[in-house]
């Protein structure tokens, strides 16, 4: 009996031995599957569309190997090439090929053992190509002049698949070598192949390959390549893709996008920014006309507070004098004084104009003090929203909580349980923001660590009471009322926190019983896990503040300012209103929430509705599902946040106050 090794040599080089006999053509009726064919797996034996398309386009590239069937006159058994045989039979059965289509065969006269061995030899040789070999081969064919369409026909693949393979096969050499060596995954290679720019690929690879695996995720690679960059995407929506391309700009589509977001890279950022600058000039001119201020100045950012974010105390509300045919304000009135304007390009590309006092002195004149975070921070009770007052930001003092809560009850109409629920939700929002901050890979993503270290230092060195910063043994931390659990569980902030906690619970530094070993495991852990651990610990420490002396702790506001949680839109990324939460409020307050946003005629009969129906109507308004919302107020309604869930800007230091008053 001939060995498989010997048969393999003869299979590769048929001139070497006499194992292979004559070559001829036969029809499908003369053939049947041989009992000596070694492939038995149902999936492996089945032909696929690619094989059938290839046969239709180019014929049978490799001949079938057949032998005479014993006891069956003029019948030949296919012992090597069973999948090709099945593909031809299926094509003939569907009428795609004629019944007498000539099939190339090579006839073998051999023993049963040799036929079995030859079938094994062919399949051993047909080891599947590795993916990078496919990419490289397809790319070479394309460089030799074959079009993607022709290669697709040969391979029986979709054209888009071939274009992706070409992109991967043409990766910059260092990146392709890393794929070939297994140093990067195929998904990472696809991220690098989001652009054809080799210089950019190499720059990204050299920068990222030194970092931890967490920082080499496909999303991080695309971010470095500025694929679907948030800033430039907004500018493109503002300018318009047609205007950008008409001016000579180009978009490079990420071929490996899943189709949901259609990722692309702006190839000519300078041109896009110039177009945006020109269009902004038009927005500025129309704004000057609407406000009747031909000399209105525009600033690159709103006036900044000491904590680094916008100084919300200096925000200005423009009075609407008239509206256009669509209901949009076309004439505005600003207060007298030094007012500046800031244009923010929203995510959808719409310009959002806001107005600000240029300085504290412009607003307050010679006053030496600015308003604190008291009732003046919120609208009066007679306004559109309920207004918790001084009790929310009152002085922290022992025994002050009952008095503060009593005042909140009187001002907001909430029960004691309602106050505790709002307090729990607000703390949960802050915890969610800490998790988001921990997930950021950019500098500044370590707010939780800084807070934890600082709090310990304050207790040990300064002698501050632990409850003021929330850091001590966490076993007896306040949990809030049981009824708050459902409200908290419905938030995005809670979901993020739970996922982070689950990830940490799987790590050896928590599961290992040997504390010394667990500590060393933590020391050796990835930096993102340490940041996550610090965020979870800090979030749990903040839970203690549910038993604080007052509803609002200034330190919470400071952390919120650091996490950029001072505007309603940001808070809505961690929390959404629910009917259960709205039901905590009196009927009159629910109506007051919706009234500014709803057309007058539509809102008039609401007060006669049942309480449950009012909740449903108000929830639709503040979640963007109501058709009755004024067009000009749609964005504000969708960003609505109850004042009790907001965080306040930090009051300036005495030195800043004096400087502003000069």
């Amino acid at each position: 009996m001939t060995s498989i090794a010997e048969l393999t040599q003869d299979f590769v080089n048929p001139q070497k031995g006499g194992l292979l006999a004559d070559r001829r053509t036969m029809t499908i009726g003369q053939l049947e599957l041989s009992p000596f064919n070694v492939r038995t797996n149902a999936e492996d034996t089945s032909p696929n569309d690619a094989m059938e398309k290839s046969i239709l386009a180019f014929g049978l590239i490799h001949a079938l190997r057949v032998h005479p069937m014993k006891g069956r006159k003029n019948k030949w058994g296919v012992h090597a090439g069973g999948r090709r045989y099945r593909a031809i039979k299926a094509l003939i059965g569907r009428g795609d090929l004629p019944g007498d289509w000539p099939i190339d065969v090579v006839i073998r006269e051999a023993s049963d053992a040799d036929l079995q061995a030859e079938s094994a030899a062919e399949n051993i040789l047909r080891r599947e190509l590795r993916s990078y070999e496919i990419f490289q081969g397809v790319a070479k064919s394309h460089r030799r002049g074959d079009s993607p369409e022709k290669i697709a026909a040969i391979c029986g693949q979709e054209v888009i698949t071939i274009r992706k393979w070409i992109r991967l096969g043409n990766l910059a050499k260092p990146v392709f070598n890393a794929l070939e060596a297994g140093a990067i995954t195929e998904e990472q290679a696809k991220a690098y192949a989001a652009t054809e720019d080799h210089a950019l690929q190499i720059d990204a690879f050299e920068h990222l390959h030194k970092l931890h695996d967490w920082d080499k995720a496909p999303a991080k690679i695309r971010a470095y390549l500025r694929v679907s960059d948030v800033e430039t995407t907004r500018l493109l929506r503002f300018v318009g893709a047609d205007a950008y391309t008409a001016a000579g700009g180009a978009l490079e589509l990420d071929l490996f996008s899943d189709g949901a977001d259609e990722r692309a890279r702006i190839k000519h950022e300078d041109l896009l920014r110039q177009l945006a600058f020109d269009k902004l000039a038009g927005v500025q001119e129309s704004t000057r006309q609407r406000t009747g201020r031909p000399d209105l100045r525009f600033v690159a950012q709103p006036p900044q507070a000491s904590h680094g974010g916008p100084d919300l105390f200096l925000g200005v509300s423009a009075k609407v004098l008239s509206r256009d045919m669509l209901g949009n304000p076309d004439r505005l009135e600003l207060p007298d004084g030094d007012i500046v304007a800031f244009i923010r390009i929203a995510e959808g590309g719409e310009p959002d104009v806001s107005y600000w006092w240029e300085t504290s002195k412009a607003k307050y004149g010679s006053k030496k003090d600015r308003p604190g975070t008291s009732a003046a921070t919120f609208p009066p009770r007679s306004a559109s929203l309920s207004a918790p007052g001084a009790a929310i930001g009152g002085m922290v003092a022992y025994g002050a909580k009952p008095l503060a809560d009593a005042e909140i009850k009187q001002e907001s109409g909430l029960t004691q349980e309602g106050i505790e629920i709002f307090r729990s939700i607000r703390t949960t929002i802050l915890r969610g923001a800490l998790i988001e901050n921990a997930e950021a890979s950019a500098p500044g993503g370590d707010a939780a660590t800084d807070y934890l270290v600082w709090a310990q230092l304050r207790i040990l060195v300064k002698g501050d009471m632990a409850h003021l910063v929330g850091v001590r043994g966490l076993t007896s931390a306040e949990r809030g009322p049981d009824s708050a659990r459902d409200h908290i569980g419905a938030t995005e902030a809670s979901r993020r926190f739970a996922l982070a906690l689950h990830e940490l619970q799987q790590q050896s530094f928590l599961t290992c019983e040997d504390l010394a070993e667990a500590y060393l495991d933590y020391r050796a852990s990835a930096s993102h896990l340490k940041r996550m651990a610090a965020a979870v610990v800090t979030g749990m420490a903040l839970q203690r503040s549910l038993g604080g002396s007052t509803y609002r702790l200034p330190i919470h506001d400071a952390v919120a300012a650091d996490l950029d949680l001072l505007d309603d839109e940001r808070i809505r990324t961690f929390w959404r209103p629910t009917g259960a939460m709205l039901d905590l409020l009196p009927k009159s307050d629910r109506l007051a929430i919706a009234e500014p946003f709803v057309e007058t005629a539509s809102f008039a009969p609401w007060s006669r509705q049942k309480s449950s129906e009012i909740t449903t109507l108000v929830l639709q308004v503040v979640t963007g599902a109501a058709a009755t919302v004024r067009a000009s107020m749609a964005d504000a309604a969708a960003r609505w946040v109850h004042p009790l869930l907001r965080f306040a800007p930090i009051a300036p230091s005495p030195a800043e106050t004096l400087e502003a008053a000069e």
Side-chain angles (χ1 to χ4, degrees), residues 527-588:
S527 58
H528 81 277
L529 285 175
K530 291 183 178 180
R531 292 198 303 269
M532 196 69 68
V536 166
V537 169
T538 302
M540 296 175 77
L542 288 170
Q543 190 78 5
R544 180 181 299 283
S545 66
L546 294 178
S549 301
T550 183
Y551 184 92
R552 166 170 288 147
L553 293 176
I555 183 56
H556 281 196
D557 291 331
V559 176
D562 191 37
L563 298 175
D564 195 24
L565 264 182
L566 296 184
D567 64 76
D568 293 352
E569 186 175 4
R570 277 279 293 154
I571 291 177
R572 285 293 291 264
T573 64
F574 299 102
W575 164 84
R576 284 176 60 84
T578 64
M581 188 219 76
L582 291 172
D583 278 338
L584 297 170
L585 300 168
K587 177 179 175 180
S588 58

Side-chain angles (χ1 to χ4, degrees), residues 463-623:
D464 286 345
M465 296 177 65
H467 76 271
L468 294 179
V469 290
V471 178
R472 63 181 183 189
L474 301 176
T475 54
S476 60
E478 296 286 340
R479 295 174 55 186
D482 289 343
S483 53
R485 292 180 183 177
D486 290 341
H487 295 271
I488 291 172
T491 64
E492 171 65 9
S494 180
R495 186 191 71 85
R496 290 194 181 199
F497 193 87
L499 288 175
L501 183 58
H502 176 74
E503 182 180 4
L504 291 175
Q505 287 172 330
Q506 313 308 310
Q507 306 303 317
S508 62
F509 53 75
L510 284 183
T511 59
C512 180
E513 296 297 330
D514 186 319
L515 294 182
E517 184 178 342
Y519 169 74
L520 293 176
D521 284 351
Y522 179 78
R523 290 283 291 167
S525 294
S527 58
H528 81 277
L529 285 175
K530 291 183 178 180
R531 292 198 303 269
M532 196 69 68
V536 166
V537 169
T538 302
M540 296 175 77
L542 288 170
Q543 190 78 5
R544 180 181 299 283
S545 66
L546 294 178
S549 301
T550 183
Y551 184 92
R552 166 170 288 147
L553 293 176
I555 183 56
H556 281 196
D557 291 331
V559 176
D562 191 37
L563 298 175
D564 195 24
L565 264 182
L566 296 184
D567 64 76
D568 293 352
E569 186 175 4
R570 277 279 293 154
I571 291 177
R572 285 293 291 264
T573 64
F574 299 102
W575 164 84
R576 284 176 60 84
T578 64
M581 188 219 76
L582 291 172
D583 278 338
L584 297 170
L585 300 168
K587 177 179 175 180
S588 58
D589 279 19
R590 279 173 275 159
L591 290 170
I593 289 169
E595 184 176 7
F597 305 128
V598 181
E599 297 289 351
T600 303
S602 301
F603 183 80
W606 283 25
S607 60
R608 299 190 295 272
Q609 301 289 335
K610 295 180 180 178
S611 179
S612 61
E613 294 171 342
I614 290 175
T615 294
T616 300
L617 291 170
V618 175
L619 183 62
Q620 290 174 343
V621 169
V622 296
T623 56

